[in-house]
Amino acid sequence: MIDFTRDGHLHTPFCPHGSSDSLEAYVDRALGLGIKTLTFTEHAPFPARFLDPTPDKDSAMSVESLPLYIEAIQKLKRSYPELDIRLGLEIDYLPGCESETLSFLEPYADILDEAILSQHFLLIDGELLPVDFSAETFHVLVERIGSFEDVMKQYYTALAAGLAFPWERLKVDRIGHIDLPIKYQHNYTWDRSNVQAEQTRLLQTIATRGFGLDLNTAGLRKPDCGQPYAIDVASEAAALGIPFVLGSDAHIAFDVGAGFEIIQKKATFL
């Protein structure tokens, strides 16, 4: 069952590429929509040796911001006892930096309620390239790999391999926007059936590992995407017993709960 009163993927003013909307603005928006559970999942800092490959170098909060973020969410919990407010992180799967990510963030694990594991970069010939920074940087990825479908295949294959690591140590319980490259799908001709084998292997790995999926409505707000992330894998995932957590991936307060009504219309097959 999908809980439509829960938004499990929210960003904050601590996000370098987000907005300055206050945490209270996010809560007020949720209260107005009847949402009862909020999980703030700010982008976790990167390990020291990782260099952000995006042009703006703004993919994650700084390590100095992490204690401030934790303190702010804990204060928010105390201020709004009528809501179930959860402290989380969106942790990047960084191919080649898995052990560093685990050791760097593990000291904070006990204080977390839950976490999302997401993949925003692909390792190509020893170089990590951004997946979702812009249409232009994504096209570089397509040219390097060969085609949009090849990007999808490599995205699924990389994430499946990355799930061999013990992400539960960081309170990870679900995988973020599993098909993130579709953010730019309208710019390419492609057929999902051509990536079915890789998709199925990834979903089987997720099911075996006991993780859920982030049913992420942010794709509805992306003009080159036009649909929620994970919606096209939902039937297959549900058949494998994989649970879903709705998430708006809001980076501004107005987007809390955005698109949930569209998912609700499709929930009959989930």
Side-chain angles (χ1 to χ4, degrees), residues 44-48 91-94 96-109 112 117 162-172 209 211:
F46 296 136
I91 297 166
D92 261 283
Y93 168 54
L94 305 172
C97 295
E98 298 91 345
S99 297
E100 290 93 334
T101 300
L102 285 160
S103 60
F104 167 60
L105 292 175
E106 196 162 17
Y108 301 95
L112 297 176
L117 180 70
L163 291 180
F165 290 83
W167 300 107
E168 296 89 343
R169 284 163 44 188
L170 303 181
K171 297 286 183 68
V172 168
R209 296 285 279 105
F211 291 133

Side-chain angles (χ1 to χ4, degrees), residues 49-51 53 92-98 119-131 140-141 144-145 150-151 153-159 161-162 165:
R49 81 174 179 92
F50 179 79
L51 300 177
D92 261 283
Y93 168 54
L94 305 172
C97 295
E98 298 91 345
Q119 181 175 221
H120 295 93
F121 309 99
L122 279 178
L123 187 63
I124 309 298
D125 298 327
E127 181 183 5
L128 278 167
L129 298 176
V131 173
V140 170
L141 195 59
R144 288 280 294 272
I145 298 178
D150 289 333
V151 173
K153 290 177 181 179
Q154 188 146 337
Y155 190 87
Y156 285 153
T157 299
L159 187 51
F165 290 83

